């Protein structure tokens, strides 16, 4: 995964209630108001979540690494795993939705654990434990068959003996360890892994952090089933305006497309979305000034169900997360605030409660 991509994987969803924010209603929609950067958006509450009778449960990570399945009618949680991390875990999900990789520092502040949860079987397995700090965000191969974890040395580690990249077969947990290039000593190296789009190669960029901003880079690739990573041609490219960079990989002169790690379902986007049964289309309108969330039925009848303002800090007014069932769409507002809209009735309810501090993994 490139440094640029690493920054967009995890979003922490902190939900708030309408009572605390004082929503204003105009003809069944919620009137947005101007607000400062970093303040939570207004929350429209025209229904209780329980009254929507949503049968599909949510999958959440609560603070400190407790993964739960939540019944949205009763509000009850079924705990799937709980490892008592010191902080919120880092979480990624495989493209097929089967595997969830999550990691966190334990409360003894001495160890970091990397776990793999199987959504099909409910099995939760520890794949790697390293000294606390350092480490990286794991990356799944496109088919979910492999999970790569770069264990990067931190000066607080007792030594660099565990530094390297570990690749696990997600079904068997059989591991392959890829060492650090000789040109970049383990105690000053940082490796950033990402997969080729076809899953045939793990691409490894290693920088030597002794050298200031102009880090020399070592580029290697590893094919599953082979004993070691081998050199590959690549170039570091930076965007002129932001200075954010990424690696461009080449094999036999041709560019190697890179697999985009799956974003968690809780992040969302602003492209129009249609319900699974085709009954409803929801889109975000962002003219100058006030933005709006608009629903359209099969016959073309359109109405607004929520309004708000573009947040310059977070870079959006609304994000459409996904359909939890054919009748209910999950969406986000800045803050972040996570809500459910029922297009047939225009009812809106907060999805998460005030005390929740959660990663919304999906359903």
């Amino acid at each position: 995964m490139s440094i640029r991509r690493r920054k967009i994987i995890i979003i922490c969803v902190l939900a708030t209630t309408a009572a605390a924010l004082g929503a204003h209603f105009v003809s069944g929609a919620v009137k947005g108001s101007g607000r400062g950067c970093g303040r939570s958006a207004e929350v429209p509450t025209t229904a209780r979540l329980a009254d929507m009778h949503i049968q599909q449960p949510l999958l959440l990570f609560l603070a400190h690494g407790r993964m739960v399945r939540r019944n949205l009618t009763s509000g009850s949680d079924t705990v799937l795993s709980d490892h008592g991390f010191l902080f919120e875990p880092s979480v990624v999900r495989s493209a097929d939705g089967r595997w969830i990789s999550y990691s966190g520092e334990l409360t003894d502040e001495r160890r970091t654990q990397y776990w793999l949860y199987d959504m099909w079987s409910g099995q939760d397995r520890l794949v790697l434990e390293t000294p606390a700090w350092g480490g990286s965000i794991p990356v799944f191969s496109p088919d979910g068959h492999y999970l790569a974890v770069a264990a990067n040395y931190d000066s607080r580690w007792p030594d660099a003996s565990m530094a390297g990249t570990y690749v696990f077969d997600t079904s068997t947990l059989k591991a392959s360890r890829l060492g650090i290039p000789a040109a970049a000593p383990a105690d000053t190296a940082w490796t950033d892994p990402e997969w080729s789009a076809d899953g045939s190669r793990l691409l490894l960029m290693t920088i030597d952090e002794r050298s200031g901003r102009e880090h020399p880079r070592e580029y290697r690739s590893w094919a599953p089933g082979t004993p070691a990573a081998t050199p590959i041609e690549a170039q570091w490219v930076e965007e002129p305006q932001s200075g954010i960079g990424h690696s461009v990989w080449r094999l036999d002169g041709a560019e190697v497309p890179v697999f985009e790690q799956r974003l968690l379902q809780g992040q969302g986007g602003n492209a129009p979305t249609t319900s699974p049964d085709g009954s409803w289309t929801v889109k975000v309108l962002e003219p100058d000034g006030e933005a709006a969330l608009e629903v359209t039925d099969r016959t073309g009848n359109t109405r607004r169900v929520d309004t708000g303002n573009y947040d310059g800090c977070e870079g959006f007014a609304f994000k459409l997360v996904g359909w939890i069932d054919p009748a209910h769409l999950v969406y986000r507002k800045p803050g972040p605030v996570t809500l459910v809209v029922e297009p047939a009735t225009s009812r809106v309810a907060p999805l998460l409660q005030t005390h929740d501090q959660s990663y919304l993994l999906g359903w």
Side-chain angles (χ1 to χ4, degrees):
M1 178 192 309
S2 70
I3 291 173
R4 175 182 62 183
R5 295 187 183 93
R6 183 191 301 132
K7 295 181 179 179
I8 63 172
I9 291 180
I10 305 300
I11 294 291
C12 185
V13 179
L14 176 59
T16 51
T17 62
L21 296 170
H24 305 284
F25 299 93
V26 179
S27 301
V30 178
K31 183 178 180 181
S33 61
R35 57 188 182 84
C37 181
R39 293 180 57 191
S40 293
E42 293 175 338
V43 181
T45 52
T46 56
R48 294 172 60 247
L49 184 61
D51 293 338
M52 289 186 171
H53 303 294
I54 300 172
Q55 299 302 308
Q56 181 65 43
L58 281 188
L59 185 63
L60 302 171
F61 256 114
L62 305 183
H64 311 305
R66 174 176 290 184
M67 182 163 57
V68 302
R69 182 176 286 115
R70 175 164 297 170
N71 184 305
L72 295 183
T73 300
S74 67
S76 62
D77 289 341
T78 300
V79 177
L80 304 179
S81 70
D82 188 1
H83 303 297
F85 296 137
L86 185 61
F87 304 109
E88 288 73 27
S90 295
V91 189
V92 290
R93 192 169 184 176
S94 62
D96 63 3
R98 175 178 179 178
W99 304 101
I100 294 173
S101 171
Y102 63 101
S103 58
E105 182 181 336
L106 299 184
T107 53
D108 64 9
E109 301 186 31
R110 297 173 57 190
R111 295 170 293 157
T112 292
Q113 290 185 339
Y114 296 84
W115 290 81
L116 182 65
Y117 185 82
D118 186 349
M119 290 286 293
W120 294 2
S121 69
Q123 188 175 18
D124 193 35
R125 296 175 293 173
L126 177 66
V127 298
L128 182 66
E129 183 176 283
T130 68
W133 316 289
S136 71
I137 296 173
V139 288
F140 282 104
S141 60
D143 61 4
H145 191 72
Y146 294 100
L147 176 71
V149 181
N152 291 307
Y153 173 81
D154 183 274
S155 60
R156 291 165 288 189
W157 286 20
D159 57 59
S161 61
M162 289 201 66
T165 300
Y166 298 79
V167 187
F168 299 92
D169 182 305
T170 50
S171 295
T172 67
L173 293 193
K174 181 180 178 181
S176 299
R177 183 183 179 187
L178 309 176
I180 305 296
D187 61 352
T188 61
W190 182 277
T191 298
D192 206 15
E194 56 187 343
W195 288 91
S196 61
D198 63 4
S200 65
R201 292 176 179 273
L202 179 66
L203 306 169
L204 302 164
M205 180 199 73
T206 301
I207 60 176
D208 184 348
E209 296 189 314
R210 295 175 300 178
S211 306
R213 187 176 184 277
E214 297 301 324
H215 301 300
R217 294 175 171 84
E218 296 286 335
Y219 294 99
R220 298 170 297 152
S221 74
W222 175 80
T226 60
T230 56
I232 185 174
E233 180 186 354
Q235 182 180 8
W236 183 255
V237 177
E238 291 189 356
E239 298 173 2
Q241 298 298 323
S242 66
I244 297 174
H246 66 282
S247 297
V248 177
W249 306 85
R250 295 187 177 277
L251 185 65
D252 299 327
E255 184 172 340
V256 179
V258 173
F259 174 64
E260 294 286 350
Q261 175 95 310
R262 176 180 174 138
L263 302 179
L264 294 183
Q265 198 159 7
Q267 291 182 279
N270 60 5
T273 180
T274 300
S275 61
D277 62 1
S279 296
W280 303 98
T281 297
V282 180
K283 64 180 178 179
V284 176
L285 302 177
E286 291 187 330
D288 292 338
E290 190 174 69
L293 195 67
E294 184 178 86
V295 301
T296 304
D297 64 19
R298 290 180 186 270
T299 65
N301 291 320
T302 297
R303 62 182 179 276
R304 293 185 176 187
V305 294
D306 194 359
T307 60
N309 291 288
Y310 180 86
D311 186 288
C313 292
E314 297 195 44
F316 70 95
F318 295 97
K319 284 197 173 183
L320 308 181
V321 176
W323 294 88
I324 196 167
D325 61 28
H328 300 95
L329 176 71
V330 178
Y331 70 100
R332 291 181 55 225
K333 298 179 76 171
V337 175
T338 308
L339 306 134
V340 179
V341 61
E342 189 175 68
T345 64
S346 298
R347 296 191 302 175
V348 174
L351 182 62
L352 304 175
Q353 300 302 312
T354 307
H355 64 272
D356 281 325
Q357 188 169 348
S358 314
Y359 295 114
L360 175 59
L361 297 178
W363 39 83

